[in-house]
Every structure is written in structure tokens, then in C-alpha cells.
């Protein structure tokens, strides 16, 4: 008969007196590789950066759709790893030929009369934003890109934006 998958894990063997062997309470690899055994049933693993970014994108889309602004009745978002022609964009920006720095973080296109499709770029967002401020950074990029696509100021779409 197979072992019960919901049964608790067996206890760790006791530590040896000569100092070798497993130490009680030490279950993490000293080189930072994580847990040495499977997680117990019901325990949650920590969220990674990709999960945090996906949550931030979902919250930004929900917040934009809740603004009830004309042109933002349907908001969709895509997430891409890096922007197309990144080297060319960085060279133009360094030469000050392009004033739009936020174009490195995302873009938005109109989708009919009342919709917008936002494309956000994962690498520039996660590398430039502090993890604690990731939600606000994603919302700021999404709002500014939508405003540029609609041809209005971000304050028109979200009057509370930019106020302390």
C-alpha cells in the first residue's frame, strides 16, 4: 500500500555528539539554495519577483478600469520580457534624441473607441523599481502610457494622481 501523501514528514534524526550530522532546527542550506526537504502540506512558498509583477499589473489594470474615463472602458495588459530594439532605444535616449523615457517601460495602443491595450516590459520595470514600490511604478507607467495613447494628460484620467 502506498504511503499517505498527507501524513506528516518523519522527524529529523537527532544530532550526533561529535558535532557532525544534522543540527536541530537547521533545515536551510548554508549556501542559500533553499530548503533541503519538501514543504509540509499547507505551507506556502515565498512569492517570486514574477508573481509580484503579475499582481502589480493586475492591480494597475483594475485601477485603470475603475477610473470610468472615456477611452478606458476596456483595459487589457500584456507583459513582455524586454522591449523590441532595446539597444537602439537606449542609444537614442543617451543621445537625447528621444525625450520619452517611459517608452522603455511600456507602451499602449488604442483598441477601438473605448479600449486600450497596454504592453509592459518586465526587465526594465523589475530592475529599476524598488520591490516595495513596484505596484506604484507599474501603475505610473500604465497611466502615463494610456494617457499618451488617448492624447490627454494623466491628471485628466486620474485626478488624484501625483498628489501627496
Amino acid at each position: 500500500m502506498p504511503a499517505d501523501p498527507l501524513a506528516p514528514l518523519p522527524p529529523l534524526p537527532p544530532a550526533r555528539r561529535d558535532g557532525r550530522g544534522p543540527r536541530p532546527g537547521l533545515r536551510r542550506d548554508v549556501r542559500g539554495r533553499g530548503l533541503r526537504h519538501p514543504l509540509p502540506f499547507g505551507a506556502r512558498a515565498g512569492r517570486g519577483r514574477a508573481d509580484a509583477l503579475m499582481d502589480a499589473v493586475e492591480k494597475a489594470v483594475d485601477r485603470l478600469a475603475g477610473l470610468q474615463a472615456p477611452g478606458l472602458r476596456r483595459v487589457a495588459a500584456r507583459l513582455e520580457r524586454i522591449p523590441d530594439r532595446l539597444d537602439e532605444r537606449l542609444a537614442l535616449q543617451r543621445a537625447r534624441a528621444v525625450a520619452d523615457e517611459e517608452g522603455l517601460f511600456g507602451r499602449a495602443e488604442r483598441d477601438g473607441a473605448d479600449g486600450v491595450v497596454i504592453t509592459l516590459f518586465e526587465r526594465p520595470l523589475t530592475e529599476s523599481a524598488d520591490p516595495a514600490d513596484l505596484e506604484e511604478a507599474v501603475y505610473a507607467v500604465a497611466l502615463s502610457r494610456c494617457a499618451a495613447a488617448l492624447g490627454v494628460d494623466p491628471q485628466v484620467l486620474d485626478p488624484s494622481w501625483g498628489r501627496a
Side-chain angles (χ1 to χ4, degrees), residues 67-150:
L67 293 176
Q68 300 298 324
L72 288 180
R73 300 209 195 294
R74 290 183 295 117
V75 180
R78 293 188 291 216
L79 198 58
E80 291 183 7
R81 186 90 171 124
I82 57 173
D84 298 333
R85 302 181 318 275
L86 179 62
D87 294 333
E88 294 172 18
R89 289 181 183 199
L90 288 173
L92 286 173
Q93 192 172 1
R94 284 187 197 113
R96 303 278 191 248
V98 177
D100 185 18
E101 294 179 1
E102 290 185 359
L104 292 175
F105 300 109
R107 66 176 179 262
E109 298 97 24
R110 293 191 73 149
D111 185 27
D114 61 347
V116 174
V117 177
I118 307 164
T119 304
L120 298 170
F121 303 120
E122 178 182 354
R123 286 283 295 276
L125 280 170
T126 55
E127 288 179 3
S128 65
D130 185 28
D133 298 330
L134 185 63
E135 285 183 17
E136 281 301 314
V138 168
Y139 180 69
V141 170
L143 179 66
S144 68
R145 297 292 85 202
C146 286
L150 297 173

